[in-house]
Amino acid sequence: MELTGTAAEVDWEAHRPAVFGAAYRILGTVTEAEDVTQEVWLRAAAADLSEVRDLRAWLVTLAARTSYNVLKSARVRRESYVGPWLPEPLLTGPDAAARVLLDESVSTAMLVVMETLTPAERVALVLHDVFGFPFDRIAEVLGNTPAASRKLASRARARVAEVRERPRASRAETERVLRAFKAAAEAGDMAALVGLLHPEAVYVGDGGGKAVAARRPVRGAETIALLAIRLVEIRRPDAFRIVEVNGRPALATYHGGELVWLDTVEIADGRVTTFRRLVNPEKLAPIGHI
């Protein structure tokens, strides 16, 4: 689709990653972020942009304001979500359909923490820390004062500090651990699985009430290892592949060509500290089948 009329000279594709990136960071779902991006596109196509000096900032501001409204209206729905919530995964490898500005702010770990923030805190943090917006402009989006927006961003920054400061395992190490975990679970090798897990590791499963998953986080290496083996016995997956999700390797597991779960991990000193398994079919849809 090409822009016409007053927006004929707008290079939409050059700015789309920033628009989608702002929406995805704020909302944590690909589907909602795509809807916001489409809405921004339509409004840009119909607007008189001759007086807009910084088009990227104008578009990102519109995306943030729209996302803020979506997030506020979705709050009740999210609070009633069945079981733990994980972000909708974003394919970020070379074959990804959606391009996004990549940094730690779109990692799974960061988006999980972002979900604990208020809508206003999320908007303030994303616009200031990711896009470098001044607080007077953020205040226009939130309908408050620059001082209030500054306080919101500061409070949010303190909440996400642990994720930002946490050491990250290399891509190669993450892939090695994911493959080793898969092999041990398939083989029913309890000792190998326990060896891959930190003694106080946490397992988080997201089924959203649409697929079988633990309703609460599971803690402890031995308990998680038993669960992993049991799930393989029940589901009997027949294919696996490493994909890049939210800028990090993830293990996609299939049965009969259908994607049945997606695993991401946090690793410290060669051991898994947090194991996240997404099984909600609606959230898995963007990854696709084989």
Side-chain angles (χ1 to χ4, degrees), residues 256-279:
E258 178 186 358
L259 179 61
V260 293
W261 63 64
L262 183 75
D263 297 333
T264 57
V265 293
E266 301 296 323
I267 299 170
D269 299 323
R271 287 186 165 189
V272 175
T273 56
T274 303
F275 191 101
R276 300 185 181 94
R277 174 161 290 176
L278 181 62
V279 296

Side-chain angles (χ1 to χ4, degrees), residues 62-112:
L62 181 55
R65 184 176 291 115
T66 305
S67 298
Y68 182 44
N69 291 333
V70 170
L71 195 59
K72 287 189 295 183
S73 65
R75 207 62 187 171
V76 173
R77 173 167 50 84
R78 293 200 179 194
E79 288 172 354
S80 61
Y81 193 82
V82 178
W85 180 94
L86 293 176
E88 190 174 319
L90 176 68
L91 277 174
T92 52
D95 298 326
R99 299 294 176 182
V100 65
L101 303 175
L102 281 178
D103 55 37
E104 183 62 24
S105 66
V106 295
S107 71
T108 300
M110 180 64 76
L111 291 174
V112 167

Side-chain angles (χ1 to χ4, degrees), residues 34-276:
E34 289 286 8
D35 288 344
V36 167
T37 302
Q38 180 68 8
E39 183 171 340
V40 171
W41 154 266
L42 293 173
R43 292 184 63 177
D48 179 1
L49 304 177
S50 60
E51 300 298 320
V52 175
R53 288 180 290 181
D54 186 340
L55 181 59
R56 180 177 182 273
W58 186 87
L59 291 169
V60 169
T61 299
L62 181 55
R65 184 176 291 115
T66 305
S67 298
Y68 182 44
N69 291 333
V70 170
L71 195 59
K72 287 189 295 183
S73 65
R75 207 62 187 171
V76 173
R77 173 167 50 84
R78 293 200 179 194
E79 288 172 354
S80 61
Y81 193 82
V82 178
W85 180 94
L86 293 176
E88 190 174 319
L90 176 68
L91 277 174
T92 52
D95 298 326
R99 299 294 176 182
V100 65
L101 303 175
L102 281 178
D103 55 37
E104 183 62 24
S105 66
V106 295
S107 71
T108 300
M110 180 64 76
L111 291 174
V112 167
V113 177
M114 290 282 284
E115 181 67 10
T116 68
L117 305 179
T118 67
E121 287 172 341
R122 292 170 78 158
V123 171
L125 184 69
V126 169
L127 288 183
H128 185 266
D129 287 22
V130 178
F131 291 94
F133 276 34
F135 286 111
D136 57 348
R137 185 147 196 170
I138 297 172
E140 293 176 4
V141 174
L142 297 177
N144 61 11
T145 66
S149 291
R150 183 186 299 276
K151 183 175 292 186
L152 286 167
S154 177
R155 192 160 57 214
R157 196 176 300 117
R159 295 280 292 277
V160 304
E162 180 184 351
V163 174
R164 287 179 169 171
E165 296 168 3
R166 187 183 302 162
R168 289 176 57 175
S170 69
R171 182 177 300 274
E173 175 73 352
T174 303
E175 286 196 23
R176 182 194 70 78
V177 170
L178 284 169
R179 292 182 187 279
F181 194 96
K182 172 195 77 76
E186 278 189 295
D189 191 337
M190 182 77 174
L193 284 172
V194 171
L196 288 167
L197 292 158
H198 187 279
E200 299 178 1
V202 178
Y203 172 103
V204 179
D206 177 350
K210 303 178 185 303
V212 177
R215 295 292 182 93
R216 294 182 178 85
V218 176
R219 302 179 185 277
E222 291 190 359
T223 306
I224 295 171
L226 284 170
L227 177 62
I229 292 172
R230 182 60 178 150
L231 288 173
V232 168
E233 291 173 345
I234 293 172
R235 202 61 198 259
R236 298 193 178 279
D238 53 28
F240 306 83
R241 65 177 176 134
I242 297 291
V243 295
E244 183 182 303
V245 169
N246 296 80
R248 303 292 294 165
L251 182 67
T253 299
Y254 301 85
H255 177 78
E258 178 186 358
L259 179 61
V260 293
W261 63 64
L262 183 75
D263 297 333
T264 57
V265 293
E266 301 296 323
I267 299 170
D269 299 323
R271 287 186 165 189
V272 175
T273 56
T274 303
F275 191 101
R276 300 185 181 94

